[in-house]
Amino acid sequence: MNAPKLFRILYVTRNEGDCLLLRALLDFPFIEIVMAETAADAVIEAQSGRFNLYLLETRLPDGDGFELCRAMREIAPQTPVVFYTGDAGENYKQKGLAAGADVYLAKPYVDSLTTTLTKFIM
């Protein structure tokens, strides 16, 4: 039996606890989660490494996730982008989808996050 191919997620979040939670939920040897705390760090990571999915927040210390989403689309147009954020309003969701996100999820619904990510991973 072949080992599963490594699936890399770039999680852009200010909250290390959220990243630790995601790592616990997706604790599989073939999943690697890389954390970036700022939009600038995320762009550097995206340009220097290969990721299978970008997971973004809307509010970052050096900008907003919507602009970052547009930048990620320029760097890797085919890579899925998922927002997972506390900004749950419909206006935020529409703004995220207009920026190029594939999915927009509101915190703290972890079940919807794991279900969505599993669809991209499998």
Side-chain angles (χ1 to χ4, degrees), residues 10 14 35 42 47-49 51 57 67 76 88-89 94 96 103 120:
L10 178 60
R14 303 166 296 180
M35 181 179 160
Q47 290 173 335
S48 68
F51 291 92
E57 286 193 1
E67 288 301 317
Q94 293 308 317
V103 179
F120 286 109

Side-chain angles (χ1 to χ4, degrees), residues 39 57-60 62-70 95:
E57 286 193 1
T58 54
R59 298 174 193 223
L60 300 168
D62 62 343
D64 74 34
F66 306 114
E67 288 301 317
L68 177 58
C69 182
R70 289 183 190 91
K95 193 173 177 180

